[in-house]
Amino acid sequence: MTAQPNPLLPTEDQPSQRRPTPPQPVHGAPGPNAPGMNKLVTFELNGRPVSKMVDIRENLADFLRNEFGLTSVKKGCEVGECGACTVLIDGRAIDSCIYLAAWIDGKTVLTTEGLASPTGELSDVQQAFVDTTAVQCGFCTPGLLMTATELAATGQTYTREELRRRIAGHLCRCTGYENILNAVELALQKTQTRAAAAADEEFWNTVSGL
Amino acid sequence: MFDLKALYEPTTVPEAVRLLADHPEARIMAGGSDTLVKLRDGKLGGLEWVSLHGLDELRRITLDDDDTLRIGALCSFTQVAESDLVRRCIVSLPEALLTIGGPQVRNIGTIGGNLCNGVPSADSASTCYAWDARLELAGPDGVRVLPIADFYLSAGKVDLRPGEILTAILFPHEAYAGYKGAYSKYAMRGAMDIATVNVATSIKMAPGGATIADARIAFGVAAPTPIRAPHGEAVLRGQAPTRALVGAAARAAIADTRARDSWRASRAFREHMLEELTRRSLLTSIRRAGGEIGAEQ
Ligand code: FES
Ligand code: FES
C-alpha cells in the first residue's frame, strides 16, 4: 500500500494558510545613547503590585505567559484579529498580542486568573459561562471572559444585537456564539442583580441605623 | 519579539520632538495596532522607534475658548466614539470610528495614528474631510495648523515633516455648528474589515429648514488620498432637498473621483457603490439636519 499524502499538511501547490513565524530580531545592538533593551515595569497584576524587567521588544501576551505563567492569555492569530489574548488594562479590553509589554508601567492588568475570589469561588461572569455551557474547546473562553467582565463593570444593559457587536473582536471556532451570547447576557443580569441587592442592603442598613 | 532596534519613550510633546530630531531615522509608534502587526509580519524590522504611548496630555477631548473641538491625537477610537462632546459636535464621527476593527483594537488604536498612516481607506479620514478638520502639528520649529486636505499628499504620504508629531485634530466652531452628518462604509464583511469605499457627508440646513445652506461630501478610496467632491456639493447648495436633487448630487460627485481597479474591487464597482452610498448618506444627513425630503418634481 502506498502512503497517502496527509491532506492536512501543506504541499507545494497548497501552501500552509498559517502565517509564518516572524523572523527573530537580528538587529539587537541599539544605537549610541539608545535606552537599553530592558526596562523595569511596575504595575498591578490581578490585584497584586509587581515589578519586573521587560525586554522592550516583547509583547504583553508573551510577557504575561512567560514571566508570570498566566497561560489563560492565549495566542491565536497574534495580529489583533481573534481576541484570544484579551486582557483588561485599566478596565478596558485590549489584544495583548499587539501591545508592547513596556507600556504597562503604572497600569492595572487583569487576566482570567484574577477573576475568581481568593477562596476559588468563580466570578459571576465565569459562573454564567459554566451555567450556559458556553465553553467547548475553551481556547476563546478566557478572552471572552475578559470582555464580558469589562461589559459587566459598565452596569449598562445591552440588547442582544449590541452584545453581538461588543463581542465582535472574538473568534470562536466551536460554539456558534449562541451560548456565548446567552452567557454574556446572564453574566450582566447576575452582576446587576448583585449590584441592586448591595444597594438595597446599604439602604436598609442606613435606614435601620437612623 | 518584535524586531525593534530601540524604543524611546518620551512623556511630553517637547521631549518627543527633541527625540525625533536627535534620531532622524526613528519611526513614530502611536497605539501600535498597525505598526506592531506589520512588525509581526516581518516588515519594518531593525528600526528605532519613538513611542508616543506616554504622552497622556494628548489623550484629552476638550473645547477651546473659541469653541473649537480639540481631539488629542492619542485618543483611542473608543474614547472618541464615547465622548459626549464629540457626539454633540460631530455626530457621525463615532459612527465612522465604530466600524474600525473590533472593540479591543478600538481600545488600542488612536485617531492620530489612523490619520498619519495616510491610507485612503482610514475610517476617520473621510469624516474629518467632511467636517473641515484642521490638524495641529508640533515640531522643532513650533506648532503649525493646517487643513486636513493639505496634510494628505499622496497615497500613504502625509505632510509630517522631520521631527513633527500630530498633536490634535481640531474642528473650529464654524465647521460643526448647525451641521449634521452621516458615514457609510462598504466592505466585504460587516465587521473587522477595511473599507472598499467609504462616504462621509455633512449638511447644514438654512434657517427654517426649507433649503440646504451647505453640503460637504467626502470619499475614502475614491482617489489616492481621501477627497472632497466639490461638484456634488455645488448641486446641493441653496436648493430644496428632493430625492431627485440628491441623486443628481451623487452622480455629479463621481466626477471628482479617481477610482482605480484593484484586487479589492473594480473601478466601475467602486463608482457604483460611491454613488449609491452618497445618495443614502446625504438623505440621512439631510434628515438629521432637520430637512424634509420633498416629493419629486
Ligand atoms: S492572539 Fe491577539 S488577537 Fe489573536
Ligand atoms: S470554545 Fe473553542 S474556540 Fe470557542
Side-chain angles (χ1 to χ4, degrees):
Chain A
M1 222 173 103
T2 52
Q4 290 292 310
N6 183 342
L8 297 177
L9 289 177
T11 61
E12 225 157 275
D13 17 299
Q14 281 278 302
S16 163
Q17 294 292 308
R18 238 184 103 73
R19 278 170 189 264
T21 317
Q24 285 308 299
V26 284
H27 311 269
N33 308 327
M37 280 297 173
N38 294 307
K39 170 187 172 186
L40 181 71
V41 288
T42 301
F43 61 108
E44 188 188 307
L45 179 58
N46 292 333
R48 283 182 304 124
V50 291
S51 283
K52 200 112 198 166
M53 288 305 281
V54 59
D55 188 317
I56 52 112
R57 297 166 296 184
E58 187 150 43
N59 67 49
L60 181 59
D62 284 332
F63 182 58
L64 294 174
R65 289 175 60 88
N66 299 340
E67 299 297 327
F68 298 96
L70 299 174
T71 49
S72 77
V73 184
K74 301 291 176 215
K75 299 204 314 179
C77 64
E78 295 178 51
V79 287
E81 305 237 357
C82 74
C85 63
T86 302
V87 302
L88 301 192
I89 294 189
D90 294 341
R92 304 237 62 153
I94 61 113
D95 293 323
S96 60
C97 65
I98 49 169
Y99 193 95
L100 289 182
W103 286 336
I104 46 166
D105 192 39
K107 299 199 161 58
T108 303
V109 182
L110 188 66
T111 72
T112 295
E113 286 85 351
L115 291 181
S117 75
T119 54
E121 194 192 337
L122 296 187
S123 75
D124 285 341
V125 174
Q126 287 174 305
Q127 192 59 51
F129 273 68
V130 174
D131 293 348
T132 53
T133 340
V135 182
Q136 286 187 29
C137 81
F139 197 82
C140 68
T141 312
L144 275 156
L145 287 172
M146 299 323 292
T147 289
T149 302
E150 179 192 26
L151 292 176
T154 64
Q156 288 178 34
T157 40
Y158 299 90
T159 65
R160 189 95 172 174
E161 198 39 47
E162 283 166 344
L163 284 181
R164 275 184 192 283
R165 296 192 163 277
R166 294 284 174 162
I167 65 162
H170 295 273
L171 293 182
C172 173
R173 305 311 300 266
C174 304
T175 64
Y177 301 104
E178 283 308 309
N179 280 2
I180 289 176
L181 284 161
N182 292 340
V184 179
E185 253 172 15
L186 180 63
L188 298 190
Q189 275 169 23
K190 275 179 187 265
T191 325
Q192 276 165 8
T193 319
R194 202 187 278 272
D200 264 13
E201 172 127 349
E202 192 181 322
F203 172 78
W204 288 115
N205 284 345
T206 321
V207 172
S208 55
L210 290 179
Chain B
M1 292 258 193
F2 301 110
D3 188 2
L4 315 177
K5 188 170 162 198
L7 184 72
Y8 301 97
E9 298 191 87
T11 52
T12 64
V13 172
E15 194 188 349
V17 169
R18 191 169 43 74
L19 277 166
L20 283 167
D22 291 351
H23 304 275
E25 301 297 310
R27 301 284 193 111
I28 301 172
M29 191 181 300
S33 54
D34 271 310
T35 40
L36 291 177
V37 170
K38 289 200 184 114
L39 279 156
R40 167 68 178 76
D41 279 351
K43 299 178 194 123
L44 304 174
L47 300 170
E48 300 198 325
W49 293 85
V50 173
S51 155
L52 304 185
H53 220 263
L55 301 186
D56 285 341
E57 60 189 294
L58 302 185
R59 294 186 201 274
R60 286 195 279 266
I61 301 171
T62 49
L63 271 190
D64 285 352
D65 289 342
D66 60 354
D67 281 346
T68 295
L69 175 69
R70 166 181 292 270
I71 301 179
L74 279 186
C75 290
S76 72
F77 298 124
T78 309
Q79 197 188 344
V80 179
E82 288 180 351
S83 153
D84 284 336
L85 212 46
V86 172
R87 286 175 178 268
R88 252 198 341 255
C89 299
I90 320 275
V91 280
S92 55
L93 188 55
E95 237 165 56
L97 300 183
L98 290 175
T99 69
I100 299 175
Q104 302 100 302
V105 168
R106 293 198 293 269
N107 284 340
I108 296 177
T110 66
I111 186 163
N114 199 228
L115 294 174
C116 289
N117 257 336
V119 295
S121 57
D123 287 288
S124 61
S126 45
T127 302
C128 287
Y129 269 70
W131 292 81
D132 278 344
R134 303 171 74 77
L135 303 184
E136 184 191 82
L137 305 151
D141 303 324
V143 174
R144 65 186 176 113
V145 174
L146 75 171
I148 187 162
D150 294 348
F151 184 65
Y152 276 83
L153 299 175
S154 59
K157 243 187 103 62
V158 294
D159 185 15
L160 202 57
R161 300 184 188 157
E164 269 188 340
I165 61 167
L166 175 65
T167 49
I169 298 102
L170 306 175
F171 296 93
H173 186 249
E174 63 275 15
Y176 65 82
Y179 286 86
K180 294 281 187 251
Y183 178 74
S184 320
K185 165 175 177 172
Y186 175 81
M188 297 299 279
R189 290 183 291 185
M192 307 279 287
D193 205 353
I194 290 169
T196 306
V197 290
N198 66 56
V199 176
T201 61
S202 67
I203 292 281
K204 181 174 171 171
M205 298 301 292
T211 58
I212 297 170
D214 192 19
R216 307 184 192 122
I217 303 171
F219 294 142
V221 214
T225 67
I227 50 163
R228 284 277 287 271
H231 285 91
E233 296 172 359
V235 172
L236 297 165
R237 291 200 186 100
Q239 304 294 316
T242 63
R243 280 182 180 277
L245 181 82
V246 167
R251 263 191 309 285
I254 299 305
D256 294 307
T257 65
R258 283 178 291 145
R260 286 239 303 257
D261 291 326
S262 85
W263 65 268
R264 253 179 227 283
S266 69
R267 170 178 168 177
F269 180 68
R270 276 189 219 273
E271 288 182 352
H272 175 78
M273 289 309 296
L274 283 168
E275 187 178 328
E276 183 54 33
L277 291 186
T278 305
R279 199 191 329 272
R280 293 184 196 176
S281 177
L282 282 171
L283 290 172
T284 309
S285 289
I286 291 168
R287 284 200 198 94
R288 286 181 178 169
E292 274 196 33
I293 315 293
E296 305 296 321
Q297 289 157 347

